[in-house]
Amino acid sequence: MSIVVALREPDGETRAALTPEAVRAIVRLGHRVVVQTGIGTHATRNDGEYADAGAEVLEGAPLAESVRAADLLVHVVPLSEERIAVLRSGALTLGLAGPLDGDRRAALAAAGVVALAFEQLPRTSRAQAMDVLSSQALAAGYRAVLEAAIRLPRFFPLAMTAAGTVPPAKVVVLGVGVAGLQAIATARRLGATVAANDIRPSSAEEVRSVGATFIDAGVGTDQAAGGYARSLASTAAEAQQQAIAPHIADADVLITTAAIPGRTAPRLVTAAMVAAMRPGSVAVDLAASSGGNIEGSTPGEETRVTSSRGVGDVVVVGLANAAGDLPADATRLYAKNVSNVIELLTTSGTEGADPTLEVDPADDVLAGLLVRTEEDTP
C-alpha cells in the first residue's frame, strides 16, 4: 500500500495540499494517507474531518516516521532542501516547485527524489482537471478586484439617486489569462466598466466574451507554448506602454495579472504611468512576487505614489499570495487538482496486490510534470 503524506505548510501559507474530500478519493484508490495535525486549520477544516475521511492524523515521531517512508509527499509551496533530504530515495513529490535553482535540483538528485511540478503541467484539454495554475489564478483574479474595491474611495457600480448620479468605476485589466478573465468578470458583477489588454492572439475575443472592451495596443500578438504570453522585445514593450498609458490614466482601478511561469514577470506599467492616474486610484499587481508588472510594487505591501494630477495619492497594492487570501476555496480547488494527478499516477498491481504510484514516461501529462535534475538531464 503506497503512503501519501501531506504536511502543514510553512508559516505564511494558508492553503493545504489536501482536503478531507481529496483524502477520501485517494483512500478509495487504495492508498494510505497521512496528514499532519492542524493541516487544514486555515482552510477551516479540522482534524476530525480528515480522520473521518480515512487519513491518519499524526504529529511528532509517528509523523516523522511516515514522512521517511512516504511514497508521495504532496505540498503547496516549494519544498525546502531540508524537507527534501528526509525523504527516502525513490519517493515522489507533487506540488508547486517555484524557480528550481541549482541547490534545490542538487538536493533532489542527492536524495534520489522524483519531483513533479505543477508549473510544468502541459496546457492540454486532458490536463485541465489537474491545472493548479488555473485553479489558483481563478481565486487570485477574484481577490484582486476585492482588494481594489475596498481601497477605492468611489463606488464600483452606477448609482442614480435623488442627490445625483454616481458614474461607474473604470477598471483596466492587463493580462487576460484565467486571473485576468476572473478579474474582469468580478469587476463587471460589481458594476464597473472594464477594458483589458493582452498580447495573445485569442485575447480580444476572450475579453469581449465577458463583457469588457478590448484595448488594441497595436503591437501584434505573441504566445509561447502552452498558451502563455511571451515577453515582448523592448521596442514592442515600449510601444505597448505608450498605447495603454492613456487608458490607465483614465482608470479608477488598474489590475495587472501578466505572468510567465518560471520567469520574471513582464514590466507593463512604469512609475510615471502610475503617477499619471487620478488621486485615489488603485493599482493591484498580482505578479508582485515574480518581479512585478508595475514598477515599484512590493509583494505583500501597499505603496502610495503621489499623483501628478492633483492632491492625493495612487495606491499600489503588491499581492504576495492572492489565492492564499482565500484559503478555504483555494485549498478545495488545489486538493482536487492533487487528487486527480494521484489518480493518474495510480497503477493497479498484479492480482491481489495493492495499487502503486508510478510515473509513466509515456503519459504526456506525467512526463510534462516531471522535474529534470542535473543528473538525469540529457
Side-chain angles (χ1 to χ4, degrees):
M1 180 178 293
S2 296
I3 304 173
V4 178
V5 176
L7 304 175
R8 288 194 305 267
E9 297 295 317
D11 291 343
E13 179 54 69
T14 58
R15 294 168 292 176
L18 293 179
T19 57
E21 293 78 12
V23 167
R24 194 171 285 112
I26 296 166
V27 169
R28 281 199 298 266
L29 291 172
H31 306 300
R32 173 189 168 199
V33 180
V34 175
V35 300
Q36 186 173 12
T37 302
I39 185 176
T41 299
H42 296 297
T44 69
R45 310 308 294 266
N46 62 53
D47 291 344
E49 292 177 272
Y50 284 92
D52 290 344
E56 299 173 43
V57 184
L58 304 178
E59 193 60 87
L63 176 66
E65 182 179 345
S66 293
V67 172
R68 288 192 294 270
D71 296 291
L72 172 64
L73 175 66
V74 294
H75 59 95
V76 179
V77 302
L79 294 175
S80 65
E81 295 169 40
E82 292 76 18
R83 186 156 283 186
I84 292 170
V86 301
L87 298 172
R88 67 172 183 81
S89 178
L92 301 173
T93 67
L94 172 64
L96 293 167
L100 271 171
D101 57 28
D103 290 341
R104 191 174 292 132
R105 288 182 183 274
L108 290 169
V113 171
V114 179
L116 303 174
F118 276 120
E119 293 94 331
Q120 298 183 179
L121 185 79
R123 304 283 286 188
T124 62
S125 297
R126 179 169 174 257
Q128 285 180 349
M130 303 164 235
D131 191 351
V132 157
L133 296 187
S134 290
S135 72
Q136 301 307 289
L138 182 77
Y142 170 76
R143 184 69 185 193
V145 176
L146 300 187
E147 294 287 347
I150 61 175
R151 290 173 171 83
L152 186 69
R154 305 182 182 93
F155 287 4
F156 257 54
L158 168 71
M160 300 180 69
T161 76
T165 299
V166 178
K170 296 179 181 179
V171 177
V172 168
V173 177
L174 301 182
V176 289
V178 174
L181 290 172
Q182 180 61 26
I184 293 170
T186 303
R188 291 275 296 150
R189 291 188 193 105
L190 290 177
T193 61
V194 186
N197 170 260
D198 195 296
I199 61 172
R200 292 174 302 116
S202 61
S203 58
E205 181 179 344
E206 291 172 344
V207 167
R208 296 183 184 112
S209 73
V210 288
T213 300
F214 181 71
I215 301 171
D216 187 353
V219 295
T221 58
D222 206 353
Q223 180 170 301
Y228 293 103
R230 191 193 308 276
S231 295
L232 292 174
S234 58
T235 53
E238 291 173 5
Q240 182 192 33
Q241 289 174 352
Q242 292 174 4
I244 63 178
H247 298 274
I248 293 173
D250 192 44
D252 298 296
V253 170
L254 168 65
I255 296 173
T256 65
T257 72
I260 304 172
R263 298 184 59 186
T264 301
R267 180 58 48 79
L268 304 179
V269 181
T270 65
M273 293 165 70
V274 173
M277 296 178 74
R278 285 192 294 268
S281 300
V282 181
V284 180
D285 189 349
L286 274 177
S289 293
S290 58
N293 297 146
I294 301 174
E295 184 178 3
S297 69
T298 304
E301 294 187 13
E302 181 180 302
T303 306
R304 291 185 172 270
V305 177
T306 301
S307 172
S308 61
R309 295 170 58 182
V311 178
D313 297 330
V314 177
V315 179
V316 179
V317 182
L319 295 183
N321 182 7
D325 291 331
L326 298 165
D329 284 335
T331 292
R332 181 199 307 272
L333 297 171
Y334 190 100
K336 180 61 175 176
N337 296 144
V338 167
S339 65
N340 287 339
V341 174
I342 292 176
E343 182 176 1
L344 194 60
L345 285 166
T346 301
T347 61
S348 300
T350 56
E351 186 176 350
D354 291 326
T356 59
L357 295 168
E358 296 181 12
V359 179
D360 180 0
D363 186 291
D364 64 311
V365 173
L366 296 179
L369 288 167
L370 187 63
V371 172
R372 303 290 179 179
T373 60
E374 297 297 332
E375 289 191 355
D376 61 16
T377 300

